[in-house]
Amino acid sequence: MGDLTADRLQVGIGASEHSDGREAGAAAARAACADLNGRRPDLVLVFASVRYDLAAVLAGINSVTGGAPLAGASSSGHLHAGTLTQPGEGLAVLALASTDYRFGVASVTEVGANSFHAGRELARAARTAAGTDRLPHEALLVLSDGLTGDQQELLNGIHRVTGVAVPVVGGAAGDDRRLARTYVMRDGEVFSDAAVAVWIGSPRPLTVVSGHGWQPTGLPLLVTGVDGPVVREISGRPALEVYREHFRFDNPMCEIPSDRDGGYHSAHAFGLIQPDGQLLIRGAFVDDEGQLRTFAPLPAYAAVQVVSCGPDDLLDVGDATLADALDGADASVALVFSCVARLDILAGRSAEEAQRLQKIAGEVPTFGFYTYGEFARTTSVVGYHNATIAAVIL
């Protein structure tokens, strides 16, 4: 896979659903490294189900790669070269080798205690790890604990180091929809309440793109009462009552079932209205106490719209997003980060996303995972999303 000439990015992908973590990691790594033309990888990415002993997975991978720099996350499903691996199954490994690129891997812990500080230190450490030989184009790949800390504050800290010149892309780790504990990985270590980043230096432009496909179902509303992630009032009225009033009743997924846990996202969400008029999607659900919650807090007195979507909306915007990323790019691999909310809404059509993305990419392999939130920050500080697809081309 990819262009195997010496001065280009060499790409290898492997996957395994072996029941033993070490064996699965080793098998996927062998398959990935087989495409590197005999080279040791300069970077390894791994996305894996939490059903595995993740430390054993890393031991298996490192036994093949010789301890090459590694970053990874637990997932809620992953995709590779047109194939979807459903939540609760398997792992996938991407191996990259190039004399043209520079990769610096770093990690921070205790993200929940001070997400801004953690983001700032993470970006600094990753930049340092990439070395002083700076290349004309750079980006930061971020993988974070999906259940701890303030993801936007993590990005705010990163922005203090990168500014607008270095785009950020990535995703928050999942745990097969269990919503119990998520993990990130660096080299041979597994962390929770942590984040991992890869500073990428490239001779070619690194364009980060994102899209969501959600459409407003009503006029703008004002958030008048919030308690962290709990939305209590909208326009001075009970939030859940207002939220339900904006459901599209022709949509068979319009109701929020009470028998599904918090990993379930309905086909409705909030669109946080940005200064340029664009919508930043915030997934919403009803908790066990009957409270309306979002996965990232809505600011008090923020302007929002209730938004909705269907499977075709999500598939079409995925196609358009990846096509936009590939436009004019000298591509070797497309890294994709898609929300598990999208997978839930696609339901019986979930495999179509991976297939269609690979069709758009042509001979360029696709690789990514299903997240608990996506990072796609380009020209502003804001860049944490829900129910969105993000991509970067290497």
Side-chain angles (χ1 to χ4, degrees):
M1 293 183 178
D3 189 329
L4 299 182
T5 58
D7 61 344
R8 290 291 307 280
L9 187 64
Q10 299 178 34
V11 178
I13 293 175
S16 176
E17 295 186 18
H18 195 288
S19 60
D20 179 80
R22 185 182 179 95
E23 290 297 324
R30 282 194 294 270
C33 290
D35 285 328
L36 298 187
N37 206 28
R39 288 196 55 181
R40 178 179 181 270
D42 296 304
L43 178 69
V44 175
L45 297 180
V46 56
F47 303 127
S49 166
V50 292
R51 75 178 176 88
Y52 287 120
D53 176 343
L54 295 177
V57 168
L58 297 184
I61 294 171
N62 287 325
S63 70
V64 175
T65 64
L70 178 150
S74 56
S75 69
S76 285
H78 42 272
L79 58 89
H80 52 92
T83 299
L84 167 68
T85 301
Q86 293 282 358
E89 303 293 335
L91 59 85
V93 171
L94 173 72
L96 302 175
S98 176
T99 57
D100 267 5
Y101 284 73
R102 299 286 181 272
F103 302 110
V105 181
S107 60
V108 292
T109 56
E110 299 182 354
V111 171
N114 189 329
S115 298
F116 179 89
H117 174 78
R120 183 178 59 194
E121 295 309 305
L122 180 66
R124 286 174 175 170
R127 183 176 62 185
T128 298
T132 57
D133 184 13
R134 305 294 291 276
L135 294 174
H137 304 283
E138 296 173 309
L140 190 69
L141 169 62
V142 177
L143 305 171
S144 67
D145 186 322
L147 299 175
T148 302
D150 185 323
Q151 308 291 352
Q152 183 56 55
E153 274 297 291
L154 182 74
L155 269 183
N156 293 347
I158 289 170
H159 185 265
R160 185 63 62 90
V161 177
T162 63
V164 298
V166 179
V168 179
V169 70
D175 65 348
D176 299 327
R177 299 193 184 100
R178 299 178 188 180
L179 290 182
R181 195 172 188 186
T182 68
Y183 303 91
V184 294
M185 295 167 270
R186 176 195 173 190
D187 299 335
E189 296 184 273
V190 181
F191 306 97
S192 196
D193 188 19
V196 171
V198 182
W199 192 282
I200 304 171
S202 167
R204 304 169 186 87
L206 296 169
T207 302
V208 170
V209 296
S210 64
H212 55 73
W214 296 75
Q215 300 298 323
T217 62
L219 296 173
L221 303 163
L222 192 66
V223 177
T224 51
V226 292
D227 182 7
V230 178
V231 187
R232 301 205 180 278
E233 285 188 357
I234 297 175
S235 300
R237 297 173 53 211
L240 185 55
E241 181 180 313
V242 177
Y243 186 58
R244 288 186 185 275
E245 287 175 355
H246 287 77
F247 282 2
R248 284 167 38 183
F249 289 102
D250 60 337
N251 189 323
M253 293 183 65
C254 67
E255 296 296 338
I256 304 176
S258 60
D259 61 342
R260 295 291 294 272
D261 63 27
Y264 175 72
H265 299 243
S266 77
H268 293 83
F270 285 110
L272 185 60
I273 301 174
Q274 300 299 291
D276 62 0
Q278 295 189 51
L279 296 177
L280 194 67
I281 304 302
R282 290 288 178 255
F285 66 99
V286 178
D287 66 15
D288 293 338
E289 299 176 6
Q291 302 177 119
L292 181 62
R293 300 175 70 96
T294 53
F295 284 89
L298 294 175
Y301 303 106
V304 299
Q305 289 178 282
V306 178
V307 295
S308 182
C309 70
D312 287 328
D313 300 317
L314 300 185
L315 293 169
D316 290 346
V317 82
D319 291 352
T321 298
L322 188 58
D324 186 27
L326 288 163
D327 186 25
D330 190 5
S332 296
V333 64
L335 300 182
V336 178
F337 306 90
S338 185
C339 189
V340 70
R342 295 168 54 86
L343 201 61
D344 289 340
I345 294 167
L346 290 172
R349 300 177 64 185
S350 58
E352 285 187 45
E353 179 161 74
Q355 294 165 358
R356 287 175 56 157
L357 291 174
Q358 189 57 60
K359 184 176 181 180
I360 292 292
E363 295 183 358
V364 177
T366 53
F367 186 83
F369 79 109
Y370 286 89
T371 73
Y372 283 177
E374 303 74 54
F375 298 112
R377 189 205 59 72
T378 52
T379 58
S380 67
V381 177
V382 175
Y384 175 66
H385 308 260
N386 296 141
T388 293
I389 185 169
V392 66
I393 305 302
L394 303 183

